[in-house]
């Protein structure tokens, strides 16, 4: 064993996630995609293995693992369905934020039902007019006695309309990041409503909708952290979220690389398997090399986030950028290697091509990842 190998515990976690994926996700993922099925029961089966609270502390009822362990789980599940794996990762981000920054009261109120995913959580930062400029958000929360009155809208929310819990960034003070706080808002609170389900290129196995707040009364005890800490909490959540979405890209790309290897060995042209042609071999070699490079950068970044290293945010941004760009590139080449068949829904590659495309947009676009990295370099 070298210092770069996974530990025995990590290998066991990885194998458990792979077995769950092979049994409960992969055989059904194409139907979920085609029919836009939200596999709530399968997601709850994942939670029975602890996958709804991967880095929620053991004291709060979670399994208290590190970010590398989480990456291994999401990578394994994305091998079957990146959309479903990403959905579970977002729930993990929401539940971790409550556990890490919430009061005893808010933890007790929500975590017992979120850990088994009886109630599922969304992360609400993006708004119709604030995407990359997240600190410009306009959703307002005005203090009124022991409640906040919340008004505004959130856009592109995974779980929107289906999930029961929305961990929401709101403006309680001045303009900019220092005026933002974090509240837990429930689906059934009066004044909460949802837009129509978005019609998306991919991620068909999870609901996505706008979330609207019309003078919603939210108890002050539902605040996560102190007033003005919401943006910092949101960004710390995104360090982990970027690792998770990168891991989903790795898992999806690995599946497509495996499919391409299998297909090129079976497909014959000019009297021989196309895998015998050096041009095909070189494509496969490049795909494997780039995927492994992205994988190990992401694993290093995950270890840094777990250790709270001073350069964790830069490494999370680098890893997310590389893993999602590489993932999409590998899947695109896998589709090319399948020729016309790769364009058909009879083969899984086109689904992964559609699902992975959004990974370079969400959790911070890959252009914003470059901003984060360059700012950190120039600050030194």
């Amino acid at each position: 064993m070298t210092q770069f190998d996974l530990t025995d515990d990590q290998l066991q976690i990885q194998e458990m996630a792979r077995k769950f994926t092979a049994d409960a996700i992969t055989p059904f993922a194409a139907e979920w995609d085609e029919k836009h099925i939200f596999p709530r029961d399968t997601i709850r089966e994942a939670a029975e293995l602890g996958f709804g609270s991967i880095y929620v502390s053991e004291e709060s009822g979670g399994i208290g693992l590190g970010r590398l362990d989480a990456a291994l789980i999401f990578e394994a599940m994305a091998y079957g369905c990146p959309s479903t794996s990403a959905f579970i990762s977002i729930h993990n981000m929401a539940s971790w934020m409550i556990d890490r920054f919430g009061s005893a009261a808010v933890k007790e109120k929500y975590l017992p039902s979120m850990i088994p995913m009886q109630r599922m959580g969304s992360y609400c930062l993006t708004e119709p007019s604030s995407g990359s400029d997240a600190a410009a958000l306009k959703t307002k929360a005005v203090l009124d006695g022991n409640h906040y009155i919340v008004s505004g809208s959130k856009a592109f929310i995974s779980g929107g309309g289906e999930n029961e819990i929305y961990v929401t960034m709101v403006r309680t003070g001045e303009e900019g990041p220092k005026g933002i706080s974090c509240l837990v808002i429930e689906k059934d609170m009066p004044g909460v409503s949802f837009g129509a389900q978005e019609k998306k290129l991919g991620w068909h196995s999870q609901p996505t909708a706008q979330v609207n707040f019309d003078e919603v009364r939210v108890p002050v005890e539902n605040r996560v952290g102190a007033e003005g800490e919401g943006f910092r909490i949101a960004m710390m959540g995104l360090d982990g979220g970027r690792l998770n979405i990168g891991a989903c890209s790795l898992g999806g790309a690995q599946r497509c690389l495996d499919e391409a290897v299998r297909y090129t060995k079976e497909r014959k042209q000019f009297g021989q398997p196309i895998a015998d042609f050096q041009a095909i071999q070189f494509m496969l070699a490049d795909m494997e090399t780039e995927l492994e490079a992205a994988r190990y950068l992401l694993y290093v970044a995950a270890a840094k986030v777990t250790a709270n290293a001073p350069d964790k945010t830069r490494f999370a941004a680098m890893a997310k950028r590389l893993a999602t760009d590489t993932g999409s590139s590998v899947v695109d080449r896998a589709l090319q290697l399948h020729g016309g068949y790769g364009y058909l829904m009879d083969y899984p590659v086109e689904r992964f091509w559609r699902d992975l495309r959004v990974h370079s947009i969400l959790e911070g676009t890959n252009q914003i990842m470059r901003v984060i990295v360059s700012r950190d370099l120039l600050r030194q």
Side-chain angles (χ1 to χ4, degrees):
M1 178 176 176
T2 74
Q3 63 176 317
F4 300 112
D5 290 331
L6 299 177
T7 66
D8 288 343
D9 286 346
Q10 287 166 340
L11 290 170
Q12 288 176 5
I13 290 163
Q14 185 182 58
E15 182 54 35
M16 178 172 67
R18 284 175 172 173
K19 184 176 189 314
F20 174 77
T21 300
D23 294 343
I25 296 179
T26 304
F28 311 105
E31 183 184 12
W32 297 342
D33 173 74
E34 184 179 357
K35 298 180 180 177
H36 293 241
I37 294 169
F38 178 40
R40 196 178 274 271
D41 290 342
T42 303
I43 288 167
R44 287 187 174 137
E45 288 175 29
E48 290 174 12
L49 298 176
F51 296 170
S53 54
I54 297 169
Y55 37 87
V56 171
S57 64
E58 291 181 282
E59 295 77 22
S60 295
I63 59 174
L65 298 179
R67 298 312 176 103
L68 176 50
D69 308 304
L72 296 172
I73 292 167
F74 295 126
E75 182 181 356
M77 290 195 293
Y79 192 91
C81 181
S83 168
T84 303
S85 185
F87 178 87
I88 296 171
S89 84
I90 294 164
H91 171 88
N92 271 270
M93 181 162 62
S95 57
W96 173 79
M97 288 166 67
I98 292 172
D99 180 47
R100 174 68 175 79
F101 299 103
S103 65
V106 79
K107 288 191 219 180
E108 190 176 331
K109 194 172 183 179
Y110 293 110
L111 289 179
S113 60
M114 291 181 77
I115 286 166
M117 296 186 79
Q118 291 166 357
R119 291 199 288 178
M120 299 184 192
S122 293
Y123 173 90
C124 301
L125 175 65
T126 298
E127 296 185 358
S129 61
S130 64
S132 292
D133 187 9
L137 66 86
K138 291 182 169 63
T139 297
K140 199 164 183 62
V142 178
L143 192 59
D144 180 31
N146 59 355
H147 286 78
Y148 288 101
I149 311 299
V150 180
S151 295
S153 296
K154 297 292 180 178
F156 306 122
I157 301 305
S158 290
E162 291 283 346
N163 286 0
E164 294 80 11
I165 293 166
Y166 298 85
V167 179
T168 306
M169 306 315 132
V170 298
R171 187 162 303 286
T172 52
E174 64 188 77
E175 293 298 310
K178 293 181 180 176
I180 295 171
S181 301
C182 179
L183 299 177
V184 182
I185 302 177
E186 298 179 29
K187 177 182 183 180
D188 295 331
M189 287 178 172
V192 176
S193 65
F194 304 94
Q197 287 296 314
E198 304 290 0
K199 297 175 181 178
K200 300 169 294 187
L201 174 70
W203 275 28
H204 290 167
S205 76
Q206 58 162 286
T208 306
Q210 183 164 304
V211 183
N212 304 309
F213 309 107
D214 183 10
E215 296 189 351
V216 181
R217 294 184 65 84
V218 181
V220 170
E221 72 171 19
N222 278 27
R223 191 180 65 225
V224 176
E227 272 205 5
E229 287 188 342
F231 194 75
R232 181 178 70 88
I233 291 169
M235 292 303 104
M236 288 183 70
L238 282 177
D239 279 343
R242 288 164 183 159
L243 297 173
N244 296 342
I245 210 67
C248 289
S249 283
L250 296 175
Q254 186 64 59
R255 168 71 178 281
C256 291
L257 175 55
D258 292 348
E259 295 285 346
V261 168
R262 185 182 306 113
Y263 181 83
T264 56
K265 289 162 75 173
E266 294 171 355
R267 173 71 170 169
K268 290 187 177 179
Q269 291 290 281
F270 305 101
Q272 62 189 34
I274 62 172
D276 289 350
F277 293 105
Q278 191 176 60
I280 303 297
Q281 294 169 1
F282 280 14
M283 283 180 73
L284 293 170
D286 286 347
M287 291 156 73
E288 168 72 3
T289 302
E290 292 165 28
L291 191 56
E292 288 291 358
R295 176 175 285 122
Y296 279 95
L297 177 59
L298 189 121
Y299 288 2
V300 168
K304 284 179 177 287
V305 171
T306 299
N308 199 29
D311 54 0
K312 63 177 183 177
T313 296
R314 171 158 55 96
F315 268 80
M318 291 192 298
K320 189 267 184 185
R321 204 284 299 163
L322 187 63
T324 56
D325 279 350
T326 300
S328 287
S329 174
V330 167
V331 172
D332 188 68
R333 282 174 280 176
L335 194 154
Q336 187 73 17
L337 288 168
H338 280 73
Y341 292 107
Y343 203 65
L344 302 181
M345 293 178 72
D346 305 74
Y347 290 78
V349 179
E350 63 83 29
R351 169 167 58 88
F352 287 85
W353 188 89
R354 288 184 288 108
D355 279 348
L356 263 61
R357 180 59 185 87
V358 77
H359 293 189
S360 60
I361 297 172
L362 47 77
E363 312 289 37
T365 67
N366 284 7
Q367 288 68 38
I368 292 295
M369 296 306 98
R370 291 175 171 92
V371 171
I372 290 168
V373 173
S374 59
R375 277 181 181 171
D376 195 57
L377 284 174
L378 295 169
R379 188 182 297 125
Q380 293 176 4

